[in-house]
Amino acid sequence: RYYQSVFSIPNSPKEDLIMKVSVIVTTHNTERYLLKCMDSIFNQTLSDIEIIIADDASTDSTPQIATELAKTHENVLFLPLSTNLGPGGARNKALQQASGEYISFIDSDDWMDLNYLEVMYNKAQQLNADIVTCSLMREYDYITTSPVYKCKYDQDYVLSGEIAFRIMTNEYNYGIKFLPSALNKIYRKTFLTDNLLTFPEHIFFEDQPFSYSCTLAANRVVCVPQVVYHHYKRSGSIVQSFNQKNIDDMMTAYKMIKEYLQKNNIYKKFRFNYYSSLQHFYNLIVRQIFEFVPDEKSKKEYLKYSFIRLKEVIDIDEYIDFLSSEELRKH
């Protein structure tokens, strides 16, 4: 019944309309969650949107569901990938097809408030923003006693890209957070294309290099309080499991970030931001090891391996300069 109810509400924009937002939905074996995600997009209060479902070589019934959605909704494009490129690669393929003024990314097990796109798009237009972001709430398989926010805004904030970057990398504590995630944001399409901003492929942590380069390239970043992106933390997802690829991909991501800063001759200016962000995500890796690796021997092997890989992305003298003497004592 639920499956049919989705198909009964077609959203068919006229061909001559310019799309305001292209919503890029990345999928990989998410047959259980896709329809809830799509319902939150189909029922958006903003009209003139296109939806691109980029499927990263799913082996379950996700492609069949996406095919039916594309048949019954003229504003839905299904983009199946025959080989696995990771979420970053799937987003890049969809970006090549997108025609909207702005781009929104959503994972297929997440959902949006129903006025999400309208509020974000109108604010982008009003303030001529390259990036607009909003609150992000964590959702779980169980009921929480109170909402869990990764970031929350109680008013509009208009920031330069550099200030947003300094907040994102924990240099500035202005009482708000700016997440290094592509999910709770919309991006001006020409801003992405003019600055050649794409995602790394085949890795986890693909949002980190993308967010660094996007934020530093942006002229204006706006944070809005009125809407929420709902991020579902499901068991078995990337952030709820662990293997060696988690370590390898984090190090690859930070190699790319360092190379980007060096290539643009801003590494010296933002060196401490680099180490602050790296330290935060390395701590995440350590927490994942202790939470998701069951036996003591494997924990120690993963930690040892992470220490070895860490040498590739840090300079010891620079890192000691970054740390306070008290932090150095704790290390």
Side-chain angles (χ1 to χ4, degrees), residues 275-293:
Y275 280 112
S276 175
S277 179
L278 172 61
Q279 180 172 270
H280 172 80
F281 280 94
Y282 181 69
N283 285 339
L284 172 63
I285 289 291
V286 173
R287 289 199 302 271
Q288 288 178 337
I289 290 172
F290 278 86
E291 186 173 357
F292 301 118
V293 178

Side-chain angles (χ1 to χ4, degrees), residues 251-305:
M251 300 308 171
T252 297
Y254 275 87
K255 278 184 179 180
M256 296 177 71
I257 290 169
K258 192 170 189 177
E259 289 169 0
Y260 168 81
L261 295 174
Q262 290 172 334
K263 179 181 177 181
N264 289 277
N265 298 314
I266 52 176
Y267 176 69
K268 186 174 181 180
K269 179 179 181 180
F270 294 120
R271 185 177 59 192
F272 281 12
N273 304 81
Y274 169 79
Y275 280 112
S276 175
S277 179
L278 172 61
Q279 180 172 270
H280 172 80
F281 280 94
Y282 181 69
N283 285 339
L284 172 63
I285 289 291
V286 173
R287 289 199 302 271
Q288 288 178 337
I289 290 172
F290 278 86
E291 186 173 357
F292 301 118
V293 178
D295 62 281
E296 185 67 16
K297 181 180 178 182
S298 297
K299 281 185 173 73
K300 291 175 71 173
E301 287 298 319
Y302 278 129
L303 286 170
K304 180 180 178 181
Y305 181 74

Side-chain angles (χ1 to χ4, degrees), residues 37-171:
C37 171
M38 295 298 294
D39 267 348
S40 78
I41 305 171
F42 288 140
N43 290 285
Q44 287 291 308
T45 56
L46 182 71
S47 58
D48 311 332
I49 66 174
E50 68 174 1
I51 306 163
I52 303 174
I53 304 174
D55 182 66
D56 192 28
S58 288
T59 55
D60 65 359
S61 65
T62 299
Q64 288 75 25
I65 297 171
T67 297
E68 288 301 313
L69 289 169
K71 286 180 180 177
T72 53
H73 294 78
E74 292 184 13
N75 64 334
V76 175
L77 169 66
F78 176 43
L79 188 63
L81 306 182
S82 57
T83 57
N84 188 279
L85 298 179
R91 289 173 183 167
N92 290 341
K93 294 293 185 184
L95 272 171
Q96 295 172 8
Q97 304 293 324
S99 60
E101 295 176 67
Y102 280 81
I103 305 294
S104 170
F105 300 103
I106 181 169
D107 284 350
S108 54
D109 50 0
D110 297 342
W111 61 94
M112 310 167 170
D113 282 359
L114 296 185
N115 60 339
Y116 175 92
L117 293 177
E118 182 177 14
V119 169
M120 299 275 271
Y121 176 80
N122 288 344
K123 192 64 66 172
Q125 292 287 295
Q126 176 190 342
L127 296 175
N128 191 30
D130 293 319
I131 304 171
V132 180
T133 187
C134 69
S135 305
L136 184 145
M137 184 189 296
R138 274 279 174 83
E139 303 283 357
Y140 300 91
D141 292 321
Y142 51 87
I143 298 174
T144 57
T145 55
S146 59
V148 179
Y149 286 94
K150 290 291 288 181
C151 71
K152 186 178 182 181
Y153 304 110
D154 55 5
Q155 66 179 63
D156 288 347
Y157 294 93
V158 182
L159 311 170
S160 68
E162 183 172 326
I163 295 297
F165 172 80
R166 292 183 186 275
I167 294 171
M168 182 181 75
T169 53
N170 309 307
E171 179 185 359

